[in-house]
């Protein structure tokens, strides 16, 4: 798709023609502030693509105007027919017809604002001096039509070189030899006369000034084109910066809303946990009170029984019936069936274990909420990833839709390509990213070995490759079923509670961040931080070797199902 780098957001709409037409017709009409001078009117009549005054102006359906040839240049390079200014896209290529009213205004402007060159007068006229037609550097004079006649007739004067009339004829003479500067010295890059070629500039390379002037003019046109391109490039950069600011503002608003939602949810979780903890403490308090009531009743019953026994013992101690005493004594001296109360207490302290469990559960809830919120946020930057077959190692087999890759055990006879990995079983995505944020998900279910992440375009594809940021890749890999590692300069072992089924990869180019997520558990796995990216970054997948069928499952680029 063709896309001009930038066009200045300035146009003359067809409904503005009456105002401009009135200005062109009547200089006495009071002009509006933005058209108070020919310069400002020139800006209003400039094409936003070439930055020159309109040539054959045409209008788009959205009301913006451009040179016909400029707009054709935009549209002839693709099938995207959109306005270079407002970016409105048209389903069919609009028929371009010259805006005749605007063209008339432009023509009037060009006639009323020509390049003003001071008039040169004839040096020979004695009365009222006439306007000169030509100047003669040899004679150091300018001539009107009447006085030019001798230069056109007299043989000795006919050999003089005539030029368009100028006032500063002295500048066309060699200061040393007082002869016309008719040649240009290539060696010294200066104008010279014929005498100079046999003196100071002898043996130098020189050409007629006309020839050098034409060469310089062609260079000037190129320079002018380069300057225009520089202007457009800088305007494009302004637009990029403004777009980045707007995008950052939008992202900030979204993140603010997400954070409010997150912290509101966290507050509710804390309040719920607090409520549950208080309820638990209340239940334990009621249980303690119930226990105390039961114990008190048992104690009161035992006290009653002991008092009764004490009365019986007191009566028995005063009896004079010795036979009765001996008969009753055994039953009264046997110990009563009572509890041992020394070790029985009511706990007056709140259980530390209860608090610990409550705080542990709260921390778990907060972690889950935070992880879910972060994953939900990065999933907003999901991109459609398709694998590039031109980069795939010949032992890899890609699905027709470019979403799956597996190791095929057989090296295929594929065309040689500087993009293809020839030693390691690696494939890259077909689209690179050089700014902003992007996210994609890869299913790793059923695979005991794999590696994935992102890689720089300049990654080594033709020999040994160590997985680490210094070599232009940021990856995780799994081996031996549940052994996971982050491929830093030194491998970083990762402790995961469950086996990964689907991995999310998020990149923030400007922040130098690459993060990995367990999509099923909605949890963060690992992040490469403080990185510095240059050029394009591409999705990186390696299914590793088949392993006699143990690792035959493919890596699958999965559509993103946004977390609730």
């Amino acid at each position: 798709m063709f896309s001009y780098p930038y066009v200045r957001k300035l146009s003359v709409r067809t409904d503005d023609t009456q105002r401009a037409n009135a200005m062109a017709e009547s200089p006495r009409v009071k002009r509006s502030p933005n058209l108070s001078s020919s310069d400002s009117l020139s800006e209003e009549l400039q094409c936003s693509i070439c930055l020159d005054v309109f040539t054959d102006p045409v209008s788009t359906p959205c009301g913006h105007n451009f040179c016909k040839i400029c707009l054709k240049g935009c549209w002839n390079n693709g099938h995207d027919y959109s306005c270079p200014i407002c970016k409105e896209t048209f389903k069919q290529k609009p028929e371009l017809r010259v805006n005749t009213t605007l063209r008339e205004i432009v023509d009037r402007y060009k006639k009323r604002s020509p390049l003003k060159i001071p008039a040169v007068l004839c040096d020979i006229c004695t009365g009222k001096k006439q306007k000169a037609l030509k100047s003669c550097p040899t004679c150091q004079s300018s001539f009107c039509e009447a006085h030019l006649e001798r230069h056109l007739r007299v043989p000795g004067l006919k050999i003089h070189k005539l030029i368009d009339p100028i006032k500063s004829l002295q500048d066309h003479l060699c200061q040393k030899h007082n002869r016309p500067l008719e040649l240009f010295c290539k060696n010294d890059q200066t104008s010279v006369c014929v005498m100079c070629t046999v003196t100071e500039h002898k043996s130098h390379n020189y050409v007629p000034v006309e020839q050098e002037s034409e060469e310089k003019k062609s260079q000037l046109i190129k320079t002018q084109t380069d300057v225009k391109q520089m202007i457009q490039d800088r305007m494009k950069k302004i637009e990029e910066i403004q777009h980045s600011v707007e995008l950052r503002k939008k992202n900030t608003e979204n993140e603010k809303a997400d954070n409010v939602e997150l912290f509101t949810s966290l507050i509710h979780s804390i309040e719920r946990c607090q409520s549950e903890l208080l309820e638990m403490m209340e239940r334990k308090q009621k249980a303690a009170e119930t226990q105390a009531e039961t114990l008190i009743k048992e104690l009161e019953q035992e006290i009653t029984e002991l008092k009764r026994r004490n009365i019986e013992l007191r009566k028995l101690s005063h009896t004079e019936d010795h036979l009765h005493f001996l008969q009753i004594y055994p039953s009264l001296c046997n110990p009563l069936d009572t509890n041992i109360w020394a070790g029985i207490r009511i706990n007056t302290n709140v259980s530390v274990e209860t608090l610990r469990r409550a705080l542990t559960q709260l921390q778990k809830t907060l972690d889950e909420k935070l992880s879910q919120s972060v994953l939900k946020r990065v999933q907003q930057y999901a991109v459609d990833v398709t694998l590039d077959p031109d980069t795939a190692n010949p032992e890899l087999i890609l699905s027709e839709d470019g979403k799956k890759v597996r190791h095929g055990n057989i090296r295929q006879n594929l065309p040689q390509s500087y993009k293809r990995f020839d030693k390691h079983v690696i494939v890259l995505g077909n689209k690179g990213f050089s700014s902003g944020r992007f996210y994609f998900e890869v299913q790793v279910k059923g695979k005991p070995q794999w590696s994935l992440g992102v890689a720089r375009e300049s990654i080594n594809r033709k020999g040994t490759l160590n997985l680490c940021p210094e070599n232009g890749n940021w990856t995780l890999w799994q081996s031996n079923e549940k052994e996971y590692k982050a491929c830093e300069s030194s491998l970083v072992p990762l402790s995961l509670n469950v086996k990964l089924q689907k991995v999310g990869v998020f990149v923030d180019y400007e922040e130098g961040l690459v993060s990995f997520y367990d999509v099923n558990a909605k949890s963060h796995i690992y992040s490469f931080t403080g990185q510095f990216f240059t050029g394009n970054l591409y999705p990186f997948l390696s299914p590793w070797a088949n392993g006699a069928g143990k690792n035959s499952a493919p890596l699958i680029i999965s559509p993103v199902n946004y977390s609730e």
Side-chain angles (χ1 to χ4, degrees):
M1 181 181 71
F2 181 85
S3 176
Y4 257 77
Y6 178 77
V7 290
R8 181 167 54 85
K9 293 189 175 181
L10 180 68
S11 66
V12 177
R13 294 178 179 269
T14 53
D15 55 3
D16 292 333
T17 56
Q18 289 184 349
R19 179 186 63 179
N21 190 32
M23 291 180 60
E25 292 286 355
S26 177
R28 295 183 181 180
V29 175
K30 184 177 180 180
R31 298 178 178 180
S32 58
N34 65 323
L35 295 178
S36 59
S37 66
S38 60
D39 289 340
S40 60
L41 181 57
S42 173
E43 288 190 4
E44 293 290 342
L45 298 178
Q46 277 183 2
C47 170
S48 298
I49 298 175
C50 67
L51 304 180
D52 280 335
V53 176
F54 290 121
T55 300
D56 291 334
V58 294
S59 301
T60 58
C62 57
H64 294 113
N65 302 291
F66 307 93
C67 297
K68 185 176 183 179
I69 190 171
C70 292
L71 194 55
K72 277 189 173 182
C74 288
W75 288 352
N76 286 344
N77 290 277
H79 300 289
D80 176 49
Y81 307 121
S82 60
C83 174
I85 291 180
C86 67
K87 307 303 181 186
E88 180 178 341
T89 301
F90 314 115
K91 293 182 178 179
Q92 295 182 344
K93 184 177 180 180
E95 183 180 355
L96 299 180
R97 294 184 178 180
V98 175
N99 186 328
T100 55
T101 303
L102 184 55
R103 183 173 61 183
E104 290 175 3
I105 296 172
V106 172
D107 291 343
R108 288 197 188 103
Y109 168 77
K110 289 180 178 178
K111 290 178 181 178
R112 296 179 66 87
S113 304
L115 183 63
K116 295 182 179 179
I117 301 175
V120 178
L121 302 179
C122 178
D123 293 321
I124 309 302
C125 292
T126 55
K128 181 180 178 181
K129 291 185 176 293
Q130 300 297 314
K131 185 177 179 180
L133 291 183
K134 293 290 182 180
S135 294
C136 177
T138 305
C139 299
Q140 286 289 287
S141 298
S142 298
F143 304 98
C144 64
E145 183 177 4
H147 292 111
L148 185 63
E149 184 269 339
R150 294 187 72 250
H151 272 74
L152 302 177
R153 176 173 52 82
V154 178
L157 296 178
K158 290 174 68 175
I159 62 173
H160 289 188
K161 186 174 182 180
L162 300 175
I163 61 175
D164 290 333
I166 59 171
K167 285 190 174 182
S168 54
L169 280 168
Q170 191 65 28
D171 294 340
H172 285 249
L173 286 182
C174 176
Q175 298 299 311
K176 187 170 184 178
H177 302 110
N178 202 33
R179 306 195 73 169
L181 296 170
E182 299 176 328
L183 302 171
F184 187 84
C185 176
K186 290 279 191 178
N187 300 69
D188 296 331
Q189 289 292 297
T190 185
S191 299
V192 296
C193 69
V194 175
M195 291 298 296
C196 292
T197 63
V198 296
T199 55
E200 294 90 341
H201 298 271
K202 186 178 181 180
S203 302
H204 286 187
N205 180 23
Y206 46 84
V207 296
V209 292
E210 294 85 358
Q211 179 179 334
E212 183 66 21
S213 176
E214 289 302 318
E215 291 180 5
K216 289 289 193 292
K217 283 181 180 179
S218 63
Q219 295 176 9
L220 184 66
I221 293 173
K222 182 181 182 302
T223 301
Q224 185 181 16
T225 302
D226 292 342
V227 170
K228 287 181 180 180
Q229 185 61 51
M230 290 172 67
I231 292 172
Q232 291 183 348
D233 290 345
R234 281 149 182 78
M235 287 183 170
K236 177 189 175 184
K237 181 56 66 175
I238 291 174
E239 187 178 58
E240 287 178 356
I241 293 172
Q242 291 173 337
H243 176 69
S244 297
V245 171
E246 289 299 320
L247 184 60
R248 181 60 181 265
K249 181 179 179 181
K250 181 180 178 181
N251 290 338
T252 298
E253 292 300 322
N254 290 338
E255 290 184 6
K256 282 167 63 178
D258 290 343
N259 286 331
V260 169
E261 180 182 351
L262 170 62
F263 281 101
T264 301
S265 177
L266 293 179
I267 290 171
H268 289 162
S269 297
I270 292 171
E271 290 175 345
R272 184 172 63 254
C273 183
Q274 180 188 36
S275 176
E276 291 174 355
L277 178 58
L278 293 176
E279 288 178 5
M280 184 186 301
M281 294 172 67
E282 188 67 26
R283 288 197 302 271
K284 287 184 176 294
Q285 175 63 27
K286 289 182 178 179
E289 292 175 357
T290 300
Q291 181 188 16
E293 290 176 359
T294 301
L295 292 175
I296 290 172
K297 286 182 179 179
E298 291 180 6
L299 284 167
E300 288 176 344
Q301 289 175 359
E302 289 188 2
I303 290 171
T304 302
E305 184 65 25
L306 289 170
K307 285 182 177 180
R308 185 186 63 77
R309 175 65 64 89
N310 187 48
I311 293 172
E312 289 178 353
L313 289 173
R314 188 172 63 249
K315 289 179 179 179
L316 186 60
S317 66
H318 292 92
T319 185
E320 294 181 358
D321 186 346
H322 300 293
L323 180 59
H324 178 71
F325 175 85
L326 292 174
Q327 292 175 340
I328 299 300
Y329 176 81
S331 61
L332 293 179
C333 288
N334 289 334
L336 289 171
D337 185 16
T338 59
N339 292 322
I340 301 174
W341 296 95
I344 298 177
R345 293 183 178 84
I346 298 297
N347 190 357
T348 59
N349 297 319
V350 177
S351 173
V352 175
E353 181 61 25
T354 300
L355 286 174
R356 189 190 69 78
R357 286 200 301 268
L359 291 175
T360 301
Q361 182 59 40
L362 176 60
Q363 183 64 51
K364 182 180 178 181
T365 301
L366 295 180
D367 290 344
E368 289 177 353
K369 291 285 185 182
L370 185 60
S371 296
Q372 292 173 10
S373 175
V374 172
L375 181 59
K376 180 180 178 181
R377 184 180 303 170
V378 300
Q379 284 179 328
Q380 296 175 3
Y381 300 97
V383 294
D384 183 19
V385 173
T386 302
L387 300 175
D388 183 359
D390 291 338
T391 67
N393 180 281
E395 296 181 18
L396 294 179
I397 298 177
L398 273 62
S399 61
E400 290 187 4
D401 62 0
K403 300 294 185 180
K404 301 178 183 179
V405 59
R406 62 182 177 87
H407 185 255
N409 279 332
I410 300 175
R411 192 172 184 86
Q412 305 170 83
N413 185 19
L414 299 177
Q416 293 292 326
S417 170
Y418 71 94
K419 297 169 61 178
R420 192 179 305 283
F421 289 88
D422 62 0
K423 184 173 182 179
H424 297 281
V425 286
I426 296 171
V427 62
L428 301 182
N430 66 355
K431 180 181 179 181
F433 302 87
S434 60
S435 64
R437 302 169 177 175
F438 64 95
Y439 172 86
F440 61 96
E441 294 179 353
V442 181
Q443 180 178 307
V444 298
K445 183 179 180 180
K447 292 190 66 61
Q449 295 179 317
W450 51 263
S451 57
L452 61 88
V454 293
R456 191 180 290 133
E457 187 171 13
S458 59
I459 186 173
N460 182 20
R461 310 178 189 215
K462 300 301 179 183
T464 301
L465 174 65
N466 293 323
L467 297 183
C468 64
E470 288 75 12
N471 291 330
N473 58 84
W474 295 262
T475 57
L476 295 186
W477 62 254
Q478 175 191 357
S479 64
N480 301 327
E481 293 294 336
K482 287 189 177 181
E483 184 179 347
Y484 300 96
K485 293 184 179 180
C487 299
E488 293 274 13
S489 301
S490 298
L491 292 175
V492 178
L494 303 175
S495 178
L496 302 180
N497 296 325
V498 295
K499 187 174 181 180
L500 294 175
Q501 304 293 316
K502 186 182 292 185
V503 177
V505 183
F506 171 70
V507 175
D508 188 326
Y509 196 98
E510 283 72 24
E511 291 294 330
L513 174 69
V514 181
S515 294
F516 297 85
Y517 296 89
D518 181 343
V519 177
N520 289 27
K522 296 183 175 62
S523 61
H524 174 256
I525 302 173
Y526 188 81
S527 287
F528 294 87
T529 60
Q531 306 299 305
F532 178 73
F533 302 130
T534 57
N536 284 330
L537 293 181
Y538 291 83
F540 170 111
L541 277 73
S542 174
W544 287 35
N546 185 287
K550 294 180 180 180
N551 193 35
S552 60
L555 290 175
I556 304 174
I557 304 293
S558 303
V560 176
N561 294 319
Y562 298 96
S563 301
E564 295 298 330

